[in-house]
Amino acid sequence: MITVAELIAEPQLGLSLIAGSKGLGNRITWAHTSDLPRLWEWVTGGEIMMTNGLSIPADAAGQVELAQSLVRAGASALAVGEKMHAPPLLPEFMEACNALPLPVINVPYPLPFIAIARSVAESSLLEESRRLRQTARIYDLLRLAGANNWQTLLNGLAAELNSQLFVVDRRCLHPWHPDSEALPTTLAAELGHLVGPAQGAAKNFQWHRVLDQDVLLMEIPTHANALLVVLPASDPHPDAVVLLHAATVLGLELSRTVLGLENRLRLGSEFLLQAFDGRYGIKDLESRLSEFGIPGQEFLVVSMSTNAGQHLANAHSNLWRHGFPTTCLERHNKLHILVSKECSNEQLLHALPPGTMIGVSTPATPTGIQSALQESLWALGTAGSNNEQLVRYAEGPSWLGLTSHEEGQALVQRLLGPVFEYERGRQPDLILTLKTYLDLQRSWQKTAAALFTHRQTIIYRIRKISELTGLDMTATSALAQLWFALQIHEAMEIRE
């Protein structure tokens, strides 16, 4: 790989150094021509950037910013065409290039930029051969690491690139994979302002100078929030093309991991539906829980819901990334999960989307899994009625004046039990009619229109509810009791 000094020394080119002599040892990976504004945005690391001058601002502050940004992006040198469109290079610019250092090279007129590019390319032929061999070894690491051996793959890539590698979630800079090492705390604090939760918040491939060391941030191409952090152990830095192949290999392994997670999610959903329905014996439950990484003694049942427009599809993978395997069951806009009792409120809130309402049971064992589901649903209802994001059962405020799900079930059974009993084996239209009637401010006409039936049918059904419950449906107190019972029933019902 040619250095800046070696390129200038080639007599047929006639290049001369204008500033930045301390950077003559910089190695050049490629020669790139651009006259676009913000020239540094086209740098991947190691390039000599060649311009006719249109990219160079006329003012001192702009020229200094150009020099600083090129160095931050990893450019090896800046070559400026003589007698073209460059404004005068100001003293402030020269001082900045000497201090950074950034070699600035004069390209004599009429030497074409292609002559420089050819010299760089010819000197890179041996480097290209080395790069191809290294790329082949990188892809072979994916085969050698085998399935479910993420850290082995990461360690192999780190050794090949002579760098420390970290794969993190760009939203929080925590490890993307639970088997990964965490970023050093001081480095994570410094990188926090360089990355954001949304794609496009930073360049896909950009070198930074952080804590007196070069740090590369680059996205994993297959996963929107996966970010590769590279800390080179020596100069020269790893080749940009090889780094892109390394990121691709990591992306392939993450995709394989995610496919496995989705399969576990499907199996876990089937298991949890049967577990909540009481179809497993205690020994079978304990065995299946261990298959999913859930402690058989003791775990939490967590129920959650979210606002319209948001989704909880990634809740299981977010918790898994932070070291908490789960099983999940989604039914009627609620997500129910089993997770270790070691999962704290802070970890739940961190892993779930903002605005998610969460209800958490008391620690449960397999014998109490159905009761724990009722507790989590009760806590979720309490969270919704009290406008709180997370409520743990028996630790939160009362709900509708009641303190436990047993009290709630008793209220529902006392008020609505006769209606449920009447509807057993029949079309369940009385409860639906009551809910719609109360939601529509007791309007016979609006209720009939909403249920696509005749007004007289609605009147008949409401009278039937009055007859079954013994309540006067014209009394506000009776309607209030029924409304309370419906709220509890809907919040705590889990249907197939």
Side-chain angles (χ1 to χ4, degrees), residues 313-463:
N314 295 323
H316 70 291
S317 59
N318 287 342
L319 284 166
W320 168 82
R321 289 177 196 171
H322 290 83
F324 292 101
T326 64
T327 57
C328 305
L329 174 66
E330 186 171 7
R331 284 294 184 273
H332 300 282
N333 301 318
K334 294 187 182 75
L335 182 70
H336 311 280
I337 67 174
L338 264 60
V339 68
S340 165
K341 71 171 184 177
E342 304 304 322
C343 189
S344 67
N345 292 359
E346 292 74 19
Q347 288 160 332
L348 284 170
L349 292 169
H350 177 78
L352 299 172
T356 304
M357 287 186 296
I358 306 166
V360 185
S361 74
T362 57
T365 61
T367 57
I369 189 171
Q370 293 168 302
S371 178
L373 173 63
Q374 294 299 313
E375 290 180 358
S376 68
L377 286 167
W378 181 266
L380 178 62
T382 305
S385 66
N386 290 281
N387 198 30
E388 296 191 25
Q389 190 171 359
L390 185 148
V391 169
R392 284 185 175 257
Y393 185 77
E395 295 180 11
S398 65
W399 180 27
L400 303 176
L402 307 172
T403 58
S404 69
H405 73 88
E406 290 87 358
E407 290 183 15
Q409 288 174 323
L411 176 65
V412 171
Q413 183 59 34
R414 178 170 60 83
L415 293 173
L416 297 177
V419 182
F420 292 137
E421 186 64 30
Y422 175 81
E423 288 195 327
R424 186 171 298 171
R426 293 186 174 89
Q427 180 69 24
D429 51 19
L430 294 184
I431 292 295
L432 177 61
T433 299
L434 176 61
K435 178 184 183 313
T436 307
Y437 176 68
L438 294 177
D439 287 345
L440 296 176
Q441 311 303 316
R442 292 173 291 167
S443 167
W444 306 107
Q445 199 63 40
K446 290 180 180 178
T447 304
L451 297 178
F452 302 101
T453 189
H454 195 275
R455 179 175 180 273
Q456 281 302 124
T457 302
I458 301 301
I459 294 174
Y460 166 78
R461 291 176 182 174
I462 295 300
R463 286 176 178 168

Side-chain angles (χ1 to χ4, degrees), residues 273-293:
L273 181 61
Q274 296 182 57
F276 286 152
D277 202 34
R279 300 178 193 174
Y280 283 103
I282 301 304
K283 292 295 183 184
D284 289 337
L285 258 180
E286 290 177 346
S287 175
R288 292 303 307 275
L289 285 170
S290 65
E291 290 176 15
F292 291 103

Side-chain angles (χ1 to χ4, degrees), residues 79-285:
V80 183
E82 185 181 56
K83 299 179 182 179
M84 299 299 287
H85 307 288
L89 300 180
L90 301 173
E92 293 87 347
F93 175 69
M94 300 296 190
E95 291 175 8
C97 292
N98 287 327
L100 286 167
L102 174 69
V104 181
I105 299 169
N106 178 70
V107 182
Y109 181 85
L111 179 72
F113 286 162
I114 190 64
I116 300 174
R118 185 178 293 116
S119 290
V120 172
E122 288 173 353
S123 69
S124 299
L125 286 177
L126 291 176
E127 178 65 21
E128 182 64 24
S129 176
R130 184 200 64 80
R131 179 191 295 154
L132 288 173
R133 292 195 301 272
Q134 189 176 28
T135 300
R137 292 196 300 271
I138 281 174
Y139 280 99
D140 201 41
L141 284 171
L142 187 62
R143 177 185 63 83
L144 295 173
N148 302 318
N149 212 334
W150 168 257
Q151 194 58 44
T152 299
L153 175 61
L154 204 59
N155 290 342
L157 288 171
E160 187 65 51
L161 298 170
N162 193 26
S163 303
Q164 284 185 279
L165 301 182
F166 301 89
V167 178
V168 299
D169 186 329
R170 69 178 305 137
R171 294 166 294 186
C172 59
L173 295 181
H174 292 168
W176 201 98
H177 194 289
D179 294 339
S180 287
E181 294 180 14
L183 276 173
T185 305
T186 52
L187 179 60
E190 291 294 324
L191 292 180
H193 70 282
L194 296 176
V195 298
Q199 270 189 299
K203 277 186 62 179
N204 292 351
F205 187 109
Q206 188 167 9
W207 288 96
H208 300 273
R209 190 70 181 171
V210 180
L211 298 175
D212 294 325
Q213 67 181 129
D214 292 327
V215 178
L216 172 67
L217 303 179
M218 60 184 301
E219 293 179 354
I220 303 293
T222 53
H223 295 78
N225 291 306
L227 191 68
L228 174 61
V229 181
V230 182
L231 280 64
S234 62
D235 286 323
H237 293 344
D239 180 84
V241 174
V242 174
L243 282 167
L244 290 171
H245 284 295
T248 299
V249 165
L250 290 170
L252 290 171
E253 180 59 24
L254 290 185
S255 295
R256 183 162 62 182
T257 301
V258 169
L259 284 175
L261 276 178
E262 294 306 313
N263 185 53
R264 286 172 59 86
L265 177 66
R266 178 183 60 80
L267 295 174
S269 180
E270 295 171 358
F271 156 69
L272 208 52
L273 181 61
Q274 296 182 57
F276 286 152
D277 202 34
R279 300 178 193 174
Y280 283 103
I282 301 304
K283 292 295 183 184
D284 289 337
L285 258 180

